[in-house]
Every structure is written in C-alpha cells, then in structure tokens.
Amino acid sequence: MLDIKDLNVYYSGIHALKGINLKVKENSIVSLIGANGAGKSTTLKAIMNMTKYNGNIDFSGKKLSSMKTKDIVKEGFTLVPEGRRVFSNLTVYENLLLGAYSRKDKEIQKDINSIYEIFPRLKERKEQKGGTMSGGEQQMLAIGRALMSRPKLLMMDEPSLGLAPLIVKDIFNIIKDIHSEGVTILLIEQNAKAALEIADYGYVLETGNIVLEGEGKALLHDERVKSAYLGEE
Ligand code: ATP
C-alpha cells in the first residue's frame, strides 16, 4: 500500500533521514520506533509532503512526491500529530465535526455516534471545550477527530507521549480495535514495548537509519531492542 524507497531528508546541513526503506501493507499495523531525534516525525512529514526529500514514496502505485499535502489527505492519509493539538475553544463535538470537514456524505452523524461508542468518555464530555480535557482525553479526541475523515492510512505520532500507563494501555487497545475495523495504521513511538506488542511489523530508527526490522513480536524478543529500548539486560 505504502512503499518508501531510499528516503533522504536534509535540514540545512543535518542529514535527518539517510536513505530509509519502509513498507506498510494494507490492513496492517506498522510501528516505527526510535529515540528522540531519530527522525520519526520527519518520516511522517515526508509522507505528507510537508518537507522536502529525495527518494520515492508510493501509495498504491501513485507517486506522492508530486502531490500536494491536501491531495495526499484526499487519498485517505490522516495524521494524528504529536502533542494532540485539539481545538481548545471548540467543544468535543465541534472538534469531531471538523474532522469530517472534507466529507460531503450524509453519514457524518452516524460516524460521530460510532466514535462515541469507541470513546464513551467523549460522549460524556461532548459539550466540554477541547482545551479543558485531560491529556488522555485530548489524545482520544485527536484520534476520534482523525477517524472522522475515514482514513485509509492513519498515522499517529507518539500517541502515548506524556500519558499515565493505564491510559496508554487504553489508547493502545483502542488502536487495536480501530485496526480491526479495517484501518491501516502507521504508528510512531518511543514507547517500544507498547508499539511492538500491537504491531504486525516494526522498524527501528537510529539517527536517520533503519537499523532493524521484523515482525513486531520478533523485535520484542530481539536482544538489541531489549537492551536499547526496553530497559532489559
Ligand atoms: P522526537 O521523538 O524527539 O520527536 P523524532 O525521531 O521524531 O524525535 P525528528 O523530529 O524527525 O525526530 O528529527 C530528526 C532530526 O532532524 C533531529 O536531529 C532534529 O533536530 C532535526 N530537525 C527536525 N526538524 C528540523 C528542522 N525543521 N530544521 C532543522 N532540523 C530539524
């Protein structure tokens, strides 16, 4: 579905991605893990054509480098950015509605109801302003809003960042549920354990290079991943 070949990104002198190759198969969960500054967010920016790059990014045979970000969005790519960024002064309901801004069909209300089923907390708080929700609730809202665009590929930038362990567990269970509804997911995470546990396939990024890849479960048991990312000896 998504095929990244020899992706290079330079930021005024910094070689942030050094020729990475990465594939996301339809209906899979792929996790890209790595430490701060490894180049994870840069990978997502390149996919959305929000930064200049060399190399090829294809989506079901289409070349994304020649498309504008808004047209890539129309192809069905949705990004849940790091730090959530919900609209603080809009209610939960209005935030969800905005996620569907590019849709013209009549099923928007039905989809809001299914988001409320996935996240009962959002239903409970539908009239509350986004900015007054807790960190975990804002993450739920950011994911819910992204789902309102009915994405083919949902990309998430560190959904667990700054959340308490129990909430992280909830969020990852929800990501699994969303995946089982048929959404393909590319997950960027520093929380290697949670991300690899749910991944069909995983990649480990270190200072701009993919140093390891394999099935999620296999990577979880890899000695190098264990010592560098899971804090195990
Ligand atoms: P984190 O987990 O901390 O968000 P990351 O793996 O997502 O890290 P990136 O944000 O992709 O890392 O950054 C990769 C490298 O590129 C870093 O060294 C960063 O300082 C650098 N970088 C990112 N954006 C820019 C920019 N606009 N200009 C210059 N350098 C940048």
Side-chain angles (χ1 to χ4, degrees):
M1 178 182 194
L2 182 72
D3 190 2
I4 300 181
K5 282 199 192 107
D6 197 23
L7 175 62
N8 282 276
V9 174
Y10 297 86
Y11 294 117
S12 55
I14 298 168
H15 196 177
L17 289 178
K18 303 169 182 164
I20 71 164
N21 295 296
L22 184 151
K23 278 191 181 151
V24 182
K25 286 197 187 141
E26 195 161 2
N27 290 324
S28 66
I29 302 186
V30 171
S31 292
L32 176 63
I33 63 167
N36 282 124
K40 304 182 300 297
S41 305
T42 300
T43 307
L44 294 187
K45 281 186 197 140
I47 294 171
M48 297 305 287
N49 219 346
M50 287 155 65
T51 188
K52 265 175 96 170
Y53 63 86
N54 294 325
N56 271 319
I57 306 183
D58 287 351
F59 173 61
S60 308
K62 283 187 192 161
K63 211 173 155 176
L64 297 189
S65 62
S66 51
M67 292 169 66
K68 294 206 174 90
T69 301
K70 69 172 176 28
D71 296 321
I72 297 173
V73 171
K74 277 193 197 138
E75 285 293 323
F77 284 51
T78 301
L79 175 64
V80 183
E82 189 177 336
R84 335 204 230 268
R85 296 193 214 144
V86 302
F87 295 100
S88 306
N89 289 322
L90 299 184
T91 64
V92 166
Y93 174 76
E94 289 163 342
N95 265 280
L96 291 176
L97 208 54
L98 267 182
Y101 76 96
S102 62
R103 289 173 50 184
K104 292 185 180 66
D105 57 274
K106 298 205 165 68
E107 297 197 332
I108 292 173
Q109 195 52 51
K110 183 176 143 236
D111 282 6
I112 289 188
N113 290 337
S114 25
I115 305 277
Y116 286 157
E117 268 172 42
I118 304 174
F119 300 105
R121 179 65 63 91
L122 296 184
K123 184 176 185 186
E124 221 177 279
R125 304 293 173 96
K126 61 185 173 198
E127 298 306 332
Q128 189 172 325
K129 292 268 194 314
T132 63
M133 302 280 276
S134 74
E137 290 165 350
Q138 287 190 26
Q139 185 59 267
M140 293 174 194
L141 181 53
I143 296 173
R145 191 180 61 194
L147 288 174
M148 285 304 294
S149 67
R150 293 194 168 177
K152 282 189 199 139
L153 178 70
L154 182 63
M155 295 181 283
M156 300 194 204
D157 198 349
E158 308 216 18
S160 78
L161 196 72
L163 301 182
L166 270 180
I167 312 275
V168 172
K169 216 172 146 204
D170 282 351
I171 296 279
F172 276 80
N173 280 332
I174 286 162
I175 295 173
K176 270 200 290 192
D177 290 346
I178 293 169
H179 167 250
S180 63
E181 299 283 319
V183 181
T184 306
I185 295 175
L186 175 59
L187 184 64
I188 305 294
E189 263 296 340
Q190 280 195 55
N191 184 337
K193 187 164 187 286
L196 292 176
E197 268 170 358
I198 64 166
D200 297 300
Y201 204 80
Y203 293 87
V204 181
L205 191 61
E206 277 178 12
T207 54
N209 288 301
I210 303 268
V211 292
L212 213 56
E213 63 174 270
E215 284 178 13
K217 297 253 156 40
L219 285 183
L220 263 183
H221 297 110
D222 185 282
E223 293 305 322
R224 288 162 291 181
V225 173
K226 276 191 189 169
S227 65
Y229 297 96
L230 304 177
E232 296 172 21
E233 288 302 312

